[in-house]
Amino acid sequence: MMGPQAAWLQSGQGRRLHLQHGPIDLVIEAFGTADAEQAAYTNAWARFQTILDELVAELPLLRQPLGDAHPLLRGRVARRMAAACWPHRSMFITPMAAVAGSVAEEIIAVMAAAPGLRKAYVNNGGDIALLLEGNESFTAGVVGNVDQPHIDARAEIRASTPCRGIATSGWRGRSFSRGIADAVTVLARCASEADAAATVIANAVNAEHPAITRRVASDLQPDSDLGDLLVTENVSTLPIALVLEALSSGAAVAHDLKRKGLVQAAYLSLQGETHVVGGEAMLVDRAGGVA
């Protein structure tokens, strides 16, 4: 495996920094004074170079399901992962459920140390950590089906709101899911919490039907943290009643997490049907209207 890589992505609107090391793939953009932007990018690159090795050093413990005792982890990213997943420990969950969001959150934290930085984002494969100051805002497109990508909704996040993290989970995504959601996008206080919550809600969008194919996680990926649990491999066309029932199950979990303050909003999508929780605050422009 190659070591950490960095490259500039040029666009008509400015430049973004692309950082890649093994499975970690980040796109970063900073806004502020020229000195602030440069310092933020420098901080991001310096911190990024050590993250994967730190995670690998504690990987066996990070792949273990959480129980009654909080795991004794050393690395900052590892501790973020465990803390984000801790509220969900009554069900099967490992700290790996929050790895992408926690990495993004760690990088945004070191970028925030740059004086004069007004706004920044770190996008780790769709899991996004934000820095917003003053009157700044960030608008993210929400895609309900990555295999047929188009913007189904938009999340507008303002500095005045408590949201600083966005994450998406589902059976079509990069990681395994025990549910059948095409996608569940969550807005939360931070990226690590959004990542963990998106995983939990996506798992809850579930049903049993012959059109759903599942396999043991370790058969698909021998070192999966899900071990011998069944994960969703494919979902063919389902009866509409079952789709709505599965979405309702996920929405019930999302409402509970919102009541506990663990999510700000959630957008659940399955086979063209959607359910929005907390959308009155931050999810807008759904199907041409207001969510």
Side-chain angles (χ1 to χ4, degrees):
M1 181 176 65
M2 295 180 63
Q5 304 292 311
W8 290 107
L9 304 174
Q10 300 292 340
S11 68
Q13 298 178 336
R15 63 176 187 170
R16 296 169 295 159
L17 181 61
H18 178 214
L19 302 179
Q20 196 274 330
H21 189 194
I24 307 176
D25 197 305
L26 310 181
V27 175
I28 299 171
E29 192 165 12
F31 304 85
T33 66
D35 287 345
E37 291 178 7
Q38 186 56 53
Y41 288 132
T42 299
N43 291 349
W45 170 236
R47 180 67 182 100
F48 178 76
Q49 294 177 72
T50 64
I51 284 180
L52 185 58
D53 289 342
E54 291 175 13
L55 290 173
V56 169
E58 300 192 88
L59 201 51
L61 189 53
L62 291 171
R63 286 176 171 160
Q64 292 298 312
L66 294 176
D68 294 333
H70 202 288
L72 299 176
L73 297 160
R74 298 185 304 276
R76 289 204 306 263
V77 177
R79 293 199 301 271
R80 288 180 192 275
M81 293 163 61
C85 295
W86 187 249
H88 311 289
R89 66 190 181 280
S90 62
M91 63 189 72
F92 181 98
I93 194 168
T94 78
M96 293 301 293
V99 61
S102 297
V103 169
E105 190 177 322
E106 176 71 8
I107 297 299
I108 208 74
V110 299
M111 294 176 70
L117 196 65
R118 304 189 320 272
K119 172 179 174 179
Y121 67 83
V122 177
N123 186 340
N124 187 3
D127 293 349
I128 302 171
L130 299 169
L131 180 146
L132 299 170
E133 301 290 349
N135 295 319
E136 295 291 345
S137 64
F138 179 88
T139 301
V142 178
V143 177
N145 183 344
V146 296
D147 292 337
Q148 299 175 356
H150 62 87
I151 303 301
D152 297 302
R154 290 179 176 82
E156 184 180 4
I157 301 167
R158 300 181 179 90
S160 58
T161 71
C163 177
R164 293 295 182 271
I166 308 170
T168 299
S169 184
W171 78 268
R172 296 179 184 275
R174 297 184 301 169
S175 302
F176 295 146
S177 177
R178 299 170 66 190
I180 60 172
D182 289 326
V184 170
T185 296
V186 166
L187 310 185
R189 289 175 297 191
C190 57
S192 58
E193 291 186 3
D195 198 1
T199 300
V200 169
I201 298 169
N203 284 342
V205 179
N206 212 350
E208 295 298 332
H209 191 273
I212 302 168
T213 304
R214 307 183 197 269
R215 288 186 61 186
V216 172
S218 59
D219 287 346
L220 297 170
Q221 183 179 313
D223 60 355
S224 172
D225 60 309
L226 297 178
D228 293 334
L229 293 176
L230 291 173
V231 296
T232 302
E233 187 176 35
N234 188 63
V235 183
S236 299
T237 302
L238 297 170
I240 184 62
L242 198 64
V243 169
L244 297 177
E245 181 181 343
L247 286 172
S248 294
S249 296
V253 172
H255 277 292
D256 183 57
L257 295 183
K258 186 175 187 297
R259 180 182 58 80
K260 294 174 180 176
L262 295 172
V263 306
Q264 305 297 318
Y267 184 97
L268 293 66
S269 177
L270 173 58
Q271 299 195 351
E273 300 295 327
T274 61
H275 198 124
V276 179
V277 173
E280 67 281 354
M282 285 167 285
L283 287 172
V284 301
D285 206 24
R286 175 191 177 203
V290 177

